[in-house]
Amino acid sequence: MAAAEAAARKRRPKGHFAAGRAKRPRGGGRQLEAGMRGILITCNMNERKCVGEAYSLLGEYGDLLYGPEQFSDHEERLSGSEREEDEDDVEAALKKEVGQIRASTEQNLRRFQSVESGANNVVFIRTQGIEPEDLVHHILKDMHATKKKKTRVILRMLPISGTCKAFMEDMKKYTETFFEPWFKAPNKGTFQIVYKARNNSHMSREEVIKELAGIVGSLNPENKVDLNNPQYTIVVEIIKTVCCLSVVRDYVLFRKYNLQEVVKSNKDDKQQNTSSLTEEQNSKVVKPEAEGEQKSSEEVKLENKNQGETEAEPKGNDMLTV
């Protein structure tokens, strides 16, 4: 009997005991969902290091713009006399417990908190009490001016000012009010729409861009599309069933909000321009030679033709003489 039980245990599949055990998602068990605001960050493979870089960079500039983060310590604010008086009071004990729970909840809602994005090589940092657009724009503006590289694995950093369900009707209803601060009359501006979908197959890129552009136009007919250098860029990032939205400035200037590209100096561009100029100059130098060769060949043809005419002239003269 014992031998049969031992044999049965051996025949059990490897995942038998872990079948009902869910893998803990990244971000402390929280997932990206509609209603969140924050910063969407793309990276190259190393997501854990990306989160560390994001906390360091956002913390540095967050303290500069909004001051050091204040942590709640509700229970420490209670006076000593109040604690002594309420020690044996049941009602006070309940209040104290509620205060502790509230304080722990507030501590969990940090200024920056990583949550599960739902896509590989994508990190989402939920924000509290700040404006993602202002913070990210300030970071890129500083990095663009100083050309100082501060990250290794972070690629793009996109502020997400609003999220909704990634279904066309939900997006239309949400963006009708979401776009108002930038595009509702008397406000106006040139714009473009950039779209990216991850782990989502039910949304159509063409349909989303067409519908959102129509909503922007309905808010103010003077809003115009500009694909070269628009005032505003509407960022649409869809991950699974969540649509992340933002309206950003200087999208072209800041290299599509790419932290690796924005710190590059203009030397590369100058080198490319000089190389293209040298190629043009070389082509200009080569062209006259080719033209000279063509002219020389034409001259040869003309000489041959003239020789033919001079050879034929005697025959004509002979005919005239006859």
Side-chain angles (χ1 to χ4, degrees):
M1 198 68 181
E5 290 179 358
R9 288 195 194 98
K10 291 181 180 180
R11 287 195 297 268
R12 286 175 182 173
K14 293 181 180 180
H16 176 74
F17 294 102
R21 190 181 302 167
K23 185 183 291 186
R24 184 181 179 184
R26 297 182 302 274
R30 293 298 304 272
Q31 293 186 354
L32 173 63
E33 57 188 20
M36 286 186 176
R37 304 174 77 234
I39 300 168
L40 189 146
I41 302 171
T42 63
C43 62
N44 191 4
M45 300 303 292
N46 198 335
E47 294 182 27
R48 180 174 295 181
K49 191 172 183 179
C50 176
V51 172
E53 287 187 352
Y55 280 152
S56 177
L57 186 66
L58 296 174
E60 175 187 349
Y61 285 93
D63 290 347
L64 290 174
L65 288 180
Y66 305 101
E69 187 174 3
Q70 300 295 327
F71 299 101
S72 176
D73 52 352
H74 174 77
E75 52 200 22
E76 292 183 1
R77 290 197 296 268
L78 293 174
S79 63
S81 59
E82 185 179 357
R83 288 186 179 183
E84 291 176 358
E85 292 175 0
D86 296 342
E87 187 174 357
D88 297 329
D89 191 347
V90 176
E91 184 179 356
L94 290 174
K95 288 181 179 180
K96 181 179 179 180
E97 186 176 356
V98 171
Q100 290 176 349
I101 294 173
R102 186 177 300 168
S104 63
T105 303
E106 290 176 357
Q107 286 179 358
N108 289 331
L109 296 178
R110 303 283 298 274
R111 179 180 286 175
F112 305 108
Q113 182 65 51
S114 172
V115 300
E116 169 65 22
S117 67
N120 292 329
N121 300 324
V122 178
V123 171
F124 190 88
I125 305 295
R126 186 192 61 197
T127 58
Q128 293 287 336
I130 68 167
E131 290 297 330
E133 293 169 16
D134 295 339
L135 177 60
V136 175
H137 189 273
H138 182 80
I139 292 173
L140 287 162
K141 183 179 180 181
D142 184 64
M143 294 180 68
H144 180 266
T146 61
K147 301 300 180 183
K148 184 178 180 181
K149 187 175 181 179
K150 296 192 174 185
T151 62
R152 295 178 64 87
V153 299
I154 293 178
L155 298 179
R156 300 177 69 201
M157 181 175 280
L158 298 171
I160 302 301
S161 300
T163 52
C164 64
K165 293 182 179 180
F167 298 95
M168 200 65 254
E169 291 302 320
D170 295 273
M171 292 172 62
K172 288 167 64 177
K173 184 178 180 180
Y174 183 79
T175 53
E176 285 175 356
T177 56
F178 177 78
F179 289 152
E180 287 183 355
W182 300 276
F183 301 112
K184 185 177 181 179
N187 298 325
K188 63 179 180 178
T190 58
F191 71 97
Q192 67 173 347
I193 300 174
V194 294
Y195 174 92
K196 176 71 175 179
R198 298 178 176 88
N199 299 334
N200 180 292
S201 58
H202 69 270
M203 297 300 296
S204 169
R205 177 181 181 275
E206 290 75 15
E207 182 184 4
V208 170
I209 293 177
K210 180 181 178 182
E211 292 292 342
L212 296 188
I215 291 172
V216 173
S218 65
L219 292 174
N220 190 340
E222 295 186 12
N223 294 321
K224 302 297 180 183
V225 175
D226 184 354
L227 302 180
N228 295 321
N229 191 21
Q231 291 176 269
Y232 303 109
T233 295
I234 300 172
V235 177
V236 183
E237 292 277 343
I238 294 178
I239 303 177
K240 291 185 176 180
T241 59
V242 179
C243 175
C244 303
L245 293 163
S246 63
V247 180
V248 300
R249 298 165 289 155
D250 300 319
Y251 188 76
V252 177
L253 177 64
F254 294 156
R255 308 291 182 89
K256 301 180 179 180
Y257 278 44
N258 189 312
L259 270 61
Q260 303 300 321
E261 296 293 328
V262 76
V263 296
K264 290 184 178 179
S265 62
N266 297 326
K267 292 181 180 179
D268 297 335
D269 296 336
K270 290 180 180 179
Q271 289 177 356
Q272 291 178 358
N273 292 333
T274 53
S275 62
S276 61
L277 286 173
T278 52
E279 288 178 359
E280 290 179 359
Q281 291 174 356
N282 292 334
S283 62
K284 289 180 180 179
V285 171
V286 172
K287 285 180 181 179
E289 293 179 358
E291 291 176 357
E293 292 177 357
Q294 291 178 357
K295 287 181 180 179
S296 60
S297 61
E298 290 177 358
E299 290 175 356
V300 171
K301 290 181 181 178
L302 289 172
E303 290 176 356
N304 294 334
K305 185 177 180 181
N306 293 332
Q307 289 178 0
E309 290 177 353
T310 53
E311 291 176 353
E313 283 178 0
K315 293 180 181 179
N317 293 333
D318 292 341
M319 289 174 66
L320 288 172
T321 53
V322 172

